[in-house]
Amino acid sequence: MPRPKVHPSQRQRASEACNACREAKKRCSGTTPCTHCLRRGMGSSCVLTHRPRGHRSSMPEPRSNSISHSGRDLISIPTATGAVRPNISAERSSLQSPMTTLLGGGEGATPAAVFEPISPSESRTTTDVDGSLTGRSVAGSSHVNERSQAQTALEATKPASRMLLNLKGERVYIGGGGSLSFLQLVRGIVSDQIGPSQFSRQGNSDTMLEKESPQAHTRQPGISDLSPEAKLMCADCFHGVTGGLIDVFLPNELEAMLTSTTALRRPQRSIADLVVAIGLQCEASGDTHDREISYFRESQVQVFSGMLEDPDIDMVRTFLIMSFYLLGECRRNTAFLYLGIATRAAVALGIHSRETYTDMNDPKHQLRLRVWMSLRVLDIVVNSILGRPAATAGVHSDLQSLIDSTVASSDDRGLICLGASYRIVALINNIVDTMYDKKEITIPAVEEHLQQLGQWSQDLPDFLRTSPLPDQVQAAGVKDKGAIGRVHVSCLYYFAVTIVTRPILVATLAQQPASGLVHTQLASACLDAAMFTIQTCSGAQRHNLLLANMCILKAIIFPAGLVLGFEIFAKGTVDYGIESAFHNARDLLSYLGRKSPQAALYHDILTSLANAITEYRQRAVAKGRSSYVSKLFNFDRAQSNAPTGGGEASNTSVLSDGQMDGIMATLSFGQNTPVGNGEPGDLFMDWDSLDISQWDSFPYLS
């Protein structure tokens, strides 16, 4: 009785072994180079021969120069899971791309396994998914093939969501659109190339650890109240950290609250304490933490002692500002909860509906509009970073025309920045919903999103397209909401471009040098957006616009730096702009890490990635540039124990055959291959092997 057919994703043996493993009768991983050859230092000579078994030889026969072909054959190599991926190789510099090495080929590859970019008049033979040889004419269909090749590559970049455990052991949702998914992908590639490192450490934890809540509940007796002048300085810091994101006060309203000599109503007193807490949170001094916690706790007690029983616009403002404070405290799950409460209260009050705005000359209606805009902006931004659905995304609002007319007639720069943010977060929400929730990642969809973002940037007022003058920044300081508002609006735009084009970048680096023109241009947009993010934040730091705790900017800087670091590692050699931006990203996170444990951890992650890049480059240089000469010995003991010939400099590997098979399967472009749990979105995201504690439990602060 024949054995039952095994699904390709559940196979434990490769369907095709390399020549060396076949001769040595060793178990092969079915990849090029395979794990066995890498351990023996024979990676450059690892070749898979796709010929009938009766006609195989130990090595592929070299092609005769008399064969009149205008190019070489493109060989599609099945992986261990049954998928088909192209074996890609091209002439390289001394620093060979690790992504290309992962896909196959390299120095010393045989001519039959070499791929060169096609020309419009070229015809060649390819191997289809079912193994049959098909002659395909390139002329007249290069554009279609380019689109098809790009689309099949994108099928391997669909992320997956995950349920993690919080501090109390309850399950919380983490979406696949966040930077954690991309971090895991980069960790997998780095681990395969250089073995164990601080960056590629992995474990079996599925716990999402956050900063624990302080124990202080009310203002401590030894901590006195701040003077009105000190509170006004805290208000300036509040404007300097929330500009372009939150604007929930009418002109001069906040200053009147903080300097009032009469007793404030409970909601107003709670809001004033929260503003002071955020101002103290953003000070560089480390001795303000106890006072900051006291103000926050006192405000929290006031909120839960009666405000929930009678919701009003002050309740929405209070929970919105509390959420922003908790984001700075690295308590994201609680901030997510408070944003949901604020959204429910806003819907109950009807501030999302055009029918409730009867007179826009009424300050109360103007305040309601500001609060709704701020709530929607912060809600979508925070949840797009976490990969979660926004609470306000399911609330239908018909206020766009009213907001446009209000912003156009206003000279308040803070409101202008908030209006621009309100428009772009709608585009970000659409991007996350289409590409990461519905997983509809297609080239036409990406181009359509980019066109919408381009139209948004063209409609910006001149104020947001010009940098603030140094004299103006120095005179206004951080209290100018328009200065930091420019930075936040710009970074939201670059963040939107990055999340749209990041799957293209991954597919392009995996396909190099076979990527098409459209693919390459879209990937370049991702790199440009990441560089512009870092350059904008660096300029803000030079102009003293960045405070000690910028909870939104740190979460945007980190994925931008990760994109740049991934490009450097994958390409080996990049231009100066990318290298400089990657270095500046680490400097920015180091600066923000003085008061933010999460920013400090982000800095350590990018630093460990930089060390991994340096290690890989050193190994590539140690191999030499030619196979005709090898280094006899090295004074560096660590390098002298490694092979220095033309083979792969890797004696040990932290990846088992099964793990290597899984990585190779995710880079297959011939078909949408199910990996992991059988879903296309599980590629490169083995959540069970991801040690969340390495990035979320602040181990570097102990």
Side-chain angles (χ1 to χ4, degrees):
M1 181 176 179
R3 292 183 297 177
K5 188 175 181 180
V6 181
H7 193 274
S9 62
Q10 299 178 352
R11 296 192 57 172
Q12 299 182 359
R13 297 174 56 185
S15 60
E16 192 74 21
C18 70
N19 296 333
C21 291
R22 188 182 299 109
E23 291 182 353
K25 299 188 181 301
K26 297 288 186 179
R27 181 173 180 178
C28 184
S29 62
T31 60
T32 52
C34 69
T35 308
H36 180 67
C37 291
L38 284 175
R39 292 174 177 172
R40 297 179 59 191
M42 301 169 53
S44 59
S45 60
C46 181
V47 178
L48 291 173
T49 304
H50 295 278
R51 297 183 180 182
R53 295 188 177 271
H55 297 80
R56 287 175 173 169
S57 58
S58 59
M59 292 294 291
E61 296 180 2
R63 299 183 57 157
S64 173
N65 295 333
S66 61
I67 300 179
S68 58
H69 286 280
S70 58
R72 298 184 177 95
D73 289 345
L74 171 63
I75 301 178
S76 299
I77 298 179
T79 62
T81 59
V84 177
R85 62 178 181 84
N87 184 20
I88 300 174
S89 178
E91 295 184 0
R92 297 170 173 80
S93 61
S94 59
L95 293 180
Q96 183 179 341
S97 166
M99 286 296 291
T100 308
T101 304
L102 191 61
L103 288 172
E107 295 179 1
T110 58
V114 179
F115 172 81
E116 288 184 351
I118 59 178
S119 62
S121 60
E122 185 179 3
S123 297
R124 62 175 56 144
T125 301
T126 61
T127 304
D128 289 341
V129 176
D130 57 0
S132 61
L133 296 178
T134 305
R136 181 177 300 172
S137 176
V138 179
S141 61
S142 59
H143 181 72
V144 177
N145 290 342
E146 174 185 322
R147 292 274 179 164
S148 177
Q149 186 182 42
Q151 184 57 45
T152 53
L154 286 178
E155 292 296 328
T157 61
K158 295 181 178 179
S161 59
R162 177 68 170 172
M163 298 297 294
L164 302 179
L165 301 178
N166 62 9
L167 287 173
K168 295 184 178 181
E170 299 292 338
R171 293 190 177 274
V172 293
Y173 177 80
I174 299 295
S179 58
L180 178 61
S181 300
F182 187 62
L183 172 63
Q184 175 63 6
L185 184 148
V186 179
R187 275 178 166 167
I189 294 176
V190 172
S191 176
D192 175 72
Q193 293 300 311
I194 66 174
S197 67
Q198 183 183 10
F199 178 76
S200 60
R201 260 200 321 259
Q202 295 182 355
N204 295 321
S205 175
D206 60 349
T207 303
M208 180 181 180
L209 299 179
E210 291 190 308
K211 189 176 180 181
E212 294 185 0
S213 176
Q215 297 301 320
H217 293 285
T218 58
R219 189 170 302 170
Q220 298 178 7
I223 300 178
S224 60
D225 195 8
L226 292 176
S227 64
E229 293 77 13
K231 290 182 179 180
L232 288 177
M233 294 180 62
C234 291
D236 292 340
C237 294
F238 175 81
H239 291 313
V241 74
T242 60
L245 300 172
I246 296 178
D247 192 354
V248 293
F249 298 102
L250 294 173
N252 302 322
E253 180 188 7
L254 179 58
E255 288 73 12
M257 286 184 185
L258 297 176
T259 58
S260 176
T261 57
T262 60
L264 297 173
R265 295 187 300 110
R266 177 182 294 175
Q268 293 180 337
R269 186 168 67 251
S270 176
I271 293 174
D273 288 343
L274 285 174
V275 170
V276 173
I278 292 178
L280 295 173
Q281 186 186 62
C282 297
E283 287 189 3
S285 176
D287 56 0
T288 61
H289 188 259
D290 291 339
R291 189 187 300 272
E292 161 203 333
I293 294 297
S294 296
Y295 272 98
F296 174 77
R297 285 303 190 193
E298 189 163 316
S299 173
Q300 199 175 39
V301 169
Q302 295 169 5
V303 169
F304 289 100
S305 63
M307 288 182 63
L308 291 175
E309 300 176 1
D310 188 15
D312 57 2
I313 195 66
D314 287 333
M315 174 185 168
V316 180
R317 290 199 293 182
T318 301
F319 276 96
L320 177 60
I321 300 175
M322 287 176 64
S323 300
F324 192 88
Y325 172 83
L326 291 171
L327 291 172
E329 282 292 292
C330 304
R331 295 167 59 191
R332 293 158 294 173
N333 287 324
T334 309
F336 176 79
L337 174 63
Y338 284 1
L339 283 174
I341 296 176
T343 301
R344 294 299 183 186
V347 172
L349 296 173
I351 66 175
H352 67 291
S353 176
R354 180 67 175 84
E355 298 178 354
T356 61
Y357 296 89
T358 57
D359 183 11
M360 286 309 298
N361 294 323
D362 187 351
K364 293 183 178 179
H365 287 195
Q366 297 176 8
L367 177 61
R368 289 163 63 91
L369 188 63
R370 287 173 180 260
V371 171
W372 170 252
M373 294 169 62
S374 302
L375 175 60
R376 183 167 173 83
V377 167
L378 186 63
D379 179 47
I380 293 180
V381 170
V382 170
N383 286 284
S384 63
I385 293 173
L386 294 175
R388 293 174 176 174
T392 58
V395 179
H396 173 70
S397 176
D398 52 358
L399 297 178
Q400 187 62 64
S401 59
L402 178 62
I403 291 174
D404 292 341
S405 60
T406 303
V407 171
S409 60
S410 175
D411 56 356
D412 185 348
R413 291 189 170 184
L415 183 60
I416 295 174
C417 294
L418 184 63
S421 299
Y422 185 87
R423 292 186 65 92
I424 196 170
V425 296
L427 301 178
I428 293 176
N429 182 69
N430 187 29
I431 291 168
V432 174
D433 178 67
T434 302
M435 299 186 61
Y436 294 97
D437 292 341
K438 297 180 180 178
K439 294 179 172 52
E440 297 176 0
I441 306 178
T442 63
I443 295 296
V446 171
E447 292 178 333
E448 181 180 357
H449 290 310
L450 292 177
Q451 289 175 0
Q452 294 174 356
L453 293 172
Q455 184 62 45
W456 171 90
S457 65
Q458 293 177 5
D459 295 340
L460 288 176
D462 295 337
F463 157 68
L464 289 174
R465 300 183 68 90
T466 57
S467 61
L469 298 177
D471 296 339
Q472 296 176 351
V473 174
Q474 186 175 5
V478 296
K479 64 181 179 181
D480 184 9
K481 294 182 290 185
I484 194 63
R486 287 187 179 102
V487 177
H488 279 140
V489 171
S490 300
C491 289
L492 289 180
Y493 168 60
Y494 303 141
F495 173 73
V497 176
T498 301
I499 61 176
V500 168
T501 55
R502 194 166 62 193
I504 310 292
L505 176 67
V506 175
T508 301
L509 293 178
Q511 272 192 301
Q512 63 174 337
S515 299
L517 179 61
V518 175
H519 225 178
T520 304
Q521 290 178 345
L522 294 177
S524 298
C526 184
L527 295 174
D528 289 342
M531 283 195 301
F532 295 159
T533 299
I534 305 304
Q535 292 170 0
T536 300
C537 294
S538 297
Q541 184 185 22
R542 291 194 302 270
H543 287 77
N544 298 320
L545 291 177
L546 296 189
L547 300 180
N549 194 341
M550 309 290 291
C551 62
I552 299 300
L553 284 184
K554 70 182 179 185
I556 295 178
I557 292 172
F558 173 65
L562 200 59
V563 165
L564 297 172
F566 178 64
E567 168 76 6
I568 296 172
F569 185 86
K571 287 291 186 65
T573 55
V574 295
D575 58 52
Y576 173 77
I578 296 178
E579 293 266 11
S580 176
F582 180 62
H583 176 76
N584 291 337
R586 294 159 53 198
D587 290 343
L588 288 169
L589 292 174
S590 176
Y591 171 78
L592 298 176
R594 296 180 300 172
K595 290 293 290 285
S596 172
Q598 193 66 45
L601 181 60
Y602 288 157
H603 168 263
D604 289 339
I605 291 175
L606 293 186
T607 300
S608 62
L609 176 58
N611 295 335
I613 293 172
T614 301
E615 180 179 352
Y616 185 83
R617 286 176 169 177
Q618 291 174 348
R619 293 187 181 186
V621 171
K623 293 191 301 182
R625 297 173 176 82
S626 173
S627 59
Y628 293 100
V629 61
S630 61
K631 198 170 186 179
L632 298 182
F633 66 91
N634 196 322
F635 284 103
D636 189 346
R637 181 178 301 178
Q639 293 184 359
S640 63
N641 294 331
T644 57
E648 297 289 331
S650 176
N651 287 332
T652 61
S653 175
V654 297
L655 297 178
S656 64
D657 293 349
Q659 289 175 316
M660 177 71 77
D661 296 345
I663 290 178
M664 300 303 300
T666 58
L667 293 177
S668 61
F669 305 120
Q671 60 183 9
N672 191 1
T673 305
V675 294
N677 296 330
E679 296 294 334
D682 286 339
L683 57 101
F684 277 115
M685 298 162 201
D686 185 8
W687 291 91
D688 292 332
S689 64
L690 174 62
D691 190 356
I692 303 296
S693 62
Q694 295 300 325
W695 76 280
D696 215 9
S697 62
F698 322 110
Y700 301 96
L701 300 180
S702 58

